Tab-separated table of all heavy atoms in Angstrom:
chain	number	residue	atom	x	y	z
A	86	MET	N	6.194	3.569	11.424
A	86	MET	CA	5.423	3.493	12.661
A	86	MET	C	5.031	4.872	13.169
A	86	MET	O	4.015	5.023	13.859
A	86	MET	CB	6.223	2.739	13.718
A	86	MET	CG	6.456	1.272	13.402
A	86	MET	SD	7.453	0.405	14.647
A	86	MET	CE	6.348	0.495	16.063
A	87	ALA	N	5.809	5.890	12.843
A	87	ALA	CA	5.467	7.248	13.259
A	87	ALA	C	4.299	7.819	12.464
A	87	ALA	O	3.592	8.718	12.945
A	87	ALA	CB	6.687	8.159	13.124
A	88	GLN	N	4.064	7.293	11.253
A	88	GLN	CA	3.018	7.822	10.387
A	88	GLN	C	1.755	6.970	10.372
A	88	GLN	O	0.656	7.507	10.231
A	88	GLN	CB	3.550	7.946	8.950
A	88	GLN	CG	4.661	8.952	8.778
A	88	GLN	CD	4.167	10.377	8.895
A	88	GLN	OE1	3.017	10.677	8.601
A	88	GLN	NE2	5.038	11.264	9.350
A	89	LEU	N	1.895	5.656	10.520
A	89	LEU	CA	0.762	4.746	10.387
A	89	LEU	C	0.527	4.010	11.694
A	89	LEU	O	1.484	3.638	12.386
A	89	LEU	CB	1.009	3.737	9.261
A	89	LEU	CG	1.447	4.327	7.907
A	89	LEU	CD1	1.685	3.207	6.911
A	89	LEU	CD2	0.426	5.319	7.380
A	90	LYS	N	-0.742	3.796	12.030
A	90	LYS	CA	-1.096	3.144	13.284
A	90	LYS	C	-1.714	1.765	13.086
A	90	LYS	O	-1.597	0.908	13.959
A	90	LYS	CB	-2.072	4.023	14.072
A	90	LYS	CG	-1.555	5.426	14.345
A	90	LYS	CD	-0.206	5.395	15.053
A	90	LYS	CE	0.336	6.806	15.278
A	90	LYS	NZ	1.688	6.780	15.891
A	91	ARG	N	-2.387	1.545	11.974
A	91	ARG	CA	-3.007	0.245	11.709
A	91	ARG	C	-2.846	-0.091	10.241
A	91	ARG	O	-2.656	0.790	9.398
A	91	ARG	CB	-4.496	0.255	12.062
A	91	ARG	CG	-4.842	0.321	13.533
A	91	ARG	CD	-6.345	0.300	13.721
A	91	ARG	NE	-6.933	-0.962	13.289
A	91	ARG	CZ	-8.220	-1.126	13.017
A	91	ARG	NH1	-9.052	-0.103	13.091
A	91	ARG	NH2	-8.673	-2.300	12.646
A	92	GLY	N	-2.921	-1.384	9.934
A	92	GLY	CA	-2.864	-1.836	8.548
A	92	GLY	C	-1.740	-2.825	8.320
A	92	GLY	O	-0.754	-2.864	9.060
A	93	LYS	N	-1.902	-3.633	7.287
A	93	LYS	CA	-0.844	-4.542	6.849
A	93	LYS	C	-0.046	-3.789	5.792
A	93	LYS	O	-0.527	-3.570	4.680
A	93	LYS	CB	-1.435	-5.832	6.283
A	93	LYS	CG	-0.396	-6.851	5.843
A	93	LYS	CD	-1.054	-8.121	5.361
A	93	LYS	CE	-0.029	-9.120	4.861
A	93	LYS	NZ	0.949	-9.495	5.895
A	94	VAL	N	1.168	-3.401	6.139
A	94	VAL	CA	1.972	-2.497	5.314
A	94	VAL	C	3.184	-3.256	4.780
A	94	VAL	O	3.906	-3.914	5.544
A	94	VAL	CB	2.432	-1.271	6.122
A	94	VAL	CG1	3.215	-0.306	5.233
A	94	VAL	CG2	1.231	-0.567	6.740
A	95	GLU	N	3.400	-3.147	3.482
A	95	GLU	CA	4.555	-3.775	2.846
A	95	GLU	C	5.412	-2.691	2.206
A	95	GLU	O	4.932	-1.893	1.408
A	95	GLU	CB	4.107	-4.781	1.790
A	95	GLU	CG	5.269	-5.509	1.126
A	95	GLU	CD	4.817	-6.480	0.061
A	95	GLU	OE1	4.045	-6.082	-0.830
A	95	GLU	OE2	5.237	-7.647	0.115
A	96	VAL	N	6.678	-2.674	2.581
A	96	VAL	CA	7.643	-1.715	2.049
A	96	VAL	C	8.599	-2.464	1.134
A	96	VAL	O	9.276	-3.403	1.567
A	96	VAL	CB	8.419	-1.012	3.179
A	96	VAL	CG1	9.412	-0.001	2.600
A	96	VAL	CG2	7.453	-0.323	4.137
A	97	ARG	N	8.655	-2.047	-0.112
A	97	ARG	CA	9.550	-2.663	-1.092
A	97	ARG	C	10.540	-1.629	-1.595
A	97	ARG	O	10.186	-0.470	-1.802
A	97	ARG	CB	8.775	-3.225	-2.288
A	97	ARG	CG	7.935	-4.456	-1.998
A	97	ARG	CD	7.097	-4.809	-3.209
A	97	ARG	NE	6.363	-6.045	-3.037
A	97	ARG	CZ	6.748	-7.229	-3.503
A	97	ARG	NH1	7.882	-7.312	-4.184
A	97	ARG	NH2	6.021	-8.306	-3.310
Side-chain angles (χ1 to χ4, degrees):
M86 294 178 65
Q88 295 288 332
L89 309 179
K90 304 305 178 184
R91 290 181 65 198
K93 182 177 177 59
V94 183
E95 182 181 52
V96 181
R97 290 173 175 262

